[in-house]
Amino acid sequence: MGRLELSHVQIANLNMLLLIAECVKRDHAIACSRFGLDADQAEFLSTLPYQDILLLVAHLGDECLFPPRTDLIQVLSWPPQLAGAMLLAHPPQPNRPTRPGEAQSFPPRGE
């Protein structure tokens, strides 16, 4: 059997997909909430065997599947001792890309 060489991006994608798939198997609702998935995405990931995930990641190349939080710089600049508590108070915002010609809408203040 040959040796598979993965790039850093492919390793990150593989780790995230395996983490999500395992989390979905344990608690579907929590996985959807933590990773911003809908029910169909979560169900699909939970049914993929490890070998299929690995094969898919190997063929996707260096395309990152998971964008960072929109407030990543702010999160990384928090004092490490408070970071866990701060994350609870500041959940990630959905990051839906706009289509060409589509205006980006922002939620009203206070939501």
Side-chain angles (χ1 to χ4, degrees):
M1 190 163 162
R3 183 177 168 161
L4 180 63
E5 295 281 333
L6 297 176
S7 70
H8 292 278
V9 173
Q10 289 171 311
I11 291 169
N13 285 337
L14 178 62
N15 285 332
M16 283 299 294
L17 288 170
L18 292 175
L19 174 66
I20 292 169
E22 187 61 32
C23 190
V24 169
K25 290 174 187 174
R26 292 177 186 222
D27 191 317
H28 197 274
I30 288 177
C32 287
S33 174
R34 282 195 180 143
F35 298 105
L37 304 173
D38 62 33
D40 291 337
Q41 292 169 329
E43 186 61 34
F44 180 78
L45 280 171
S46 72
T47 62
L48 284 177
Y50 171 78
Q51 291 298 330
D52 289 354
I53 293 173
L54 182 59
L55 187 63
L56 179 63
V57 165
H59 285 89
L60 284 175
D62 281 344
E63 185 65 36
C64 187
L65 299 176
F66 304 97
R69 292 174 57 116
T70 56
D71 61 347
L72 182 63
I73 293 172
Q74 180 183 4
V75 169
L76 295 177
S77 64
W78 289 335
Q81 302 84 351
L82 300 176
M86 295 290 286
L87 282 175
L88 290 174
H90 300 278
Q93 298 299 314
N95 207 10
R96 187 179 74 82
T98 58
R99 295 184 188 111
E102 178 182 30
Q104 184 167 355
S105 61
F106 295 96
R109 291 196 181 261
E111 281 190 17

